[in-house]
Amino acid sequence: MPQNSTRRSTKQISGEDIVVETAWLYYHDGLNQSEIANRLLVSRATVVNYLQEARERGYIHTKLSPEAFNTHRAALDLRDRFGLKAAYILPDGTGGQDDHASRIIRGAADWLPSLLEPGDRLGVAWGKTIYDVAERLEQTTIPELTVLQLVGSMATPYGFSADVCSSNVARKFSAKCINLHVPAILSTAEIAATLRAESLIAKQLDAINDCNKTLFAVGSCNPDSHVASSGVATQQELEDYIAHGAVGVMCGRFIDAKGDPVSGPLDDRMMGIELEELRHRDMGILVSVGEERVPAAVAAIKGGYATHVVTNQSCAAAMMDLA
């Protein structure tokens, strides 16, 4: 009788099955690579190759528990300093800004499903950050979830228009999606008022005002911010808002350092949710990427738009300095 009757050679398991078997032994049975090699009668290098192939085929999805990111000191300090319900703080790591952004995006995508419940009405903002979060979401189903587009669409060269952001989030959650079928900004206040009075648009605006949770990012008022580069605001309009105290922009609306709305030339022409409607929801999930956006993020928190924040350690430290 063989010394180990559980040993199985690759003659018994082959092709795609050997890759799955290797992944199972490593991730579910807890065997190390040498033990798997002995079990399957292959070399350790072959085991490494099989595990890499399993990752490339998308067979393996690894996640750290949220507690690793929302119960350590930096997260608790940020939560307590700003009165948040929770903060999810990613380590900076040793990479550059792109790596920092990637970590925050992945953290938000990993955390978001656990924050949603059946029957929620999730309002989704627009921009590259939200688009990237949607791209990183894993396919899952949250029963009776409705995703709502919070601001009208704008044709941009970047591919992350508001309708794409909301539709992608809805698709990943197998949710119903209510899009806002209007441009983000109209040429005149009169045209905007006419559209708001249209029955279909009025119903869509009423629907987005009824969301109980929101997912958003806050942009800076820098000259290269997306609100300007996407064509929502001209440089002159941006400068006008800055002159009146604007430090950030969310859903196409400008806020000052306290999070209060800043009036300006776009207000009557903007199609989307009003800032007052974004305040004090059951949950406001702010994804903050980049230290240049820290003043805007702090303003959004102070204004009552955010209850949950996802960012990294360096941004969290900068936020604490502005508290």
Side-chain angles (χ1 to χ4, degrees), residues 112-113 116-120 122 134 137-147 166-178:
L112 180 59
L116 302 177
E117 298 177 350
D120 275 341
L122 176 68
L137 288 170
E138 292 185 9
Q139 189 70 47
T140 187
T141 297
I142 299 178
E144 299 180 27
L145 174 70
T146 301
V147 174
S166 55
S167 296
N168 283 356
V169 171
R171 176 173 53 83
K172 291 297 184 71
F173 288 136
S174 301
K176 175 183 178 182
C177 185
I178 298 178

Side-chain angles (χ1 to χ4, degrees), residues 230-287:
S230 65
V232 171
T234 65
Q235 287 296 328
Q236 181 59 50
E237 289 165 339
L238 182 59
E239 290 171 7
D240 184 88
Y241 279 102
I242 294 172
H244 288 84
V247 300
V249 57
M250 49 190 296
C251 292
R253 313 281 184 175
F254 289 82
I255 55 174
D256 64 18
K258 295 181 179 179
D260 292 326
V262 176
S263 298
L266 301 181
D267 297 3
D268 292 338
R269 296 160 47 207
M270 180 64 60
M271 300 295 292
I273 195 165
E274 298 277 352
L275 284 176
E276 288 300 328
E277 296 294 336
L278 282 172
R279 280 175 155 160
H280 310 303
R281 296 290 174 176
D282 294 344
M283 185 180 293
I285 306 159
L286 166 60
V287 185

